[in-house]
């Protein structure tokens, strides 16, 4: 990569090309399997919720402003570590990023817990690291099958569990 490119271009392009699409939650289901490593500008733009042209201008350093929320979406999609996140914020804003919220795992909203436990199908909630926080024991299989796998897995749809 040419060294005369803006630092933001080198950073985002490198991080985007290093990101394994199979490691992005839902990527393969939405876009299909891919043999090559890395996300395209189009993939990245779609995943962060902007147009390909807008993301391309950002990657070329041609944008004047970008919101904190959008910058955090880029951090999440590219799975940047804390050092990379700080580097990105320093490049874009010239200041270190605010501390990430780290919710206390012992405090789970009792209303959310009640809703998850009341659902008759497998359900769960997760935190920002994809750790399961609350899950339920699903009811009996709607088809009456004794060996239904939906009783043991919390992430399958009830319609797909019996065959």
């Amino acid at each position: 990569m040419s060294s005369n490119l803006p630092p933001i271009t080198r950073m985002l392009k490198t991080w985007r090309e290093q990101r394994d699409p199979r490691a992005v939650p839902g990527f393969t289901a939405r876009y299909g399997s891919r043999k090559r490593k890395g996300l395209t500008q189009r993939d990245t733009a779609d995943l962060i919720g902007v147009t390909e042209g807008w993301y391309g201008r950002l990657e070329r350093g041609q944008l004047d402003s970008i919101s904190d929320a959008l910058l955090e979406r880029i951090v999440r999609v590219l799975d940047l570590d804390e050092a990379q996140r700080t580097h990105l914020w320093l490049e874009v804003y010239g200041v270190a990023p605010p501390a990430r919220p780290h919710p206390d795992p012992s405090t789970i909203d009792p209303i959310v817990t009640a809703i998850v436990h009341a659902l008759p199908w497998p359900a769960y909630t997760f935190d920002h690291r994809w750790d399961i926080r609350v899950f339920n024991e699903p009811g009996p299989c709607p088809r009456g099958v004794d060996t239904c796998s939906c009783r043991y897995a919390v992430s399958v749809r009830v319609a797909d569990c019996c065959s």
Side-chain angles (χ1 to χ4, degrees), residues 72 82 85-86 89 96-102:
E72 288 299 332
E82 204 56 40
R85 178 178 178 254
T86 300
W89 274 72
R100 286 188 183 181
H102 294 288

Side-chain angles (χ1 to χ4, degrees), residues 68-105:
D68 293 1
L70 189 57
L71 207 57
E72 288 299 332
R73 290 198 311 255
I74 293 169
V75 168
R76 188 186 75 245
V77 166
L78 297 179
D79 195 30
L80 303 181
D81 62 29
E82 204 56 40
Q84 292 168 323
R85 178 178 178 254
T86 300
H87 194 135
L88 180 62
W89 274 72
L90 288 170
E91 185 61 38
V92 172
Y93 294 131
V95 297
R100 286 188 183 181
H102 294 288
D104 181 1

Side-chain angles (χ1 to χ4, degrees), residues 40-43 45-46 50-58 60:
T40 64
Q41 282 188 350
R42 174 179 280 170
D43 297 335
D46 194 31
V50 298
T51 65
E52 183 180 2
W54 190 96
Y55 181 79
R57 286 190 304 278
L58 169 67
R60 289 187 301 275

